[in-house]
Amino acid sequence: MTQEKQPVVTPLRVVVALCLLAPFVAMLWVGSYAKTDPSFIGIPFFYWYQMAWVVISTVLTMIAYKLWHRDQRARAAARTESSAGVPAQGGASK
């Protein structure tokens, strides 16, 4: 019985990585937000941009967490199917 290995890099995992990487890129690229205008309710751009990323980072981390768990459940199910001898879709068992 041959056991197919699942790919390590999948589109879902790329999305997870981008969700986790985006806040770092946004905060480390200081030149993009090192200015005072436009201000928001009297708060300079430099400050409200960073505070907005606190909320954005939280949402992106939640999305990454949910996607990661979906991926892990799918992988565990595939492992269980392959170890139980359940044929893949379209396969015939005798």
Side-chain angles (χ1 to χ4, degrees), residues 12-60:
L12 186 67
R13 288 185 171 196
V14 171
V15 171
V16 168
L18 290 174
C19 285
L20 296 174
L21 188 63
F24 288 102
V25 172
M27 290 292 91
L28 291 176
W29 187 19
V30 179
S32 69
Y33 62 92
K35 51 190 170 188
T36 57
D37 289 328
S39 63
F40 176 68
I41 59 171
I43 302 170
F45 181 74
F46 181 79
Y47 295 111
W48 71 257
Y49 178 83
Q50 291 178 64
M51 292 309 295
W53 270 101
V54 170
V55 175
I56 294 167
S57 298
T58 303
V59 171
L60 289 174

Side-chain angles (χ1 to χ4, degrees), residues 72-89:
Q72 293 304 303
R73 282 193 306 267
R75 286 174 177 268
R79 263 194 312 265
T80 303
E81 284 180 5
S82 67
S83 66
V86 176
Q89 290 180 351

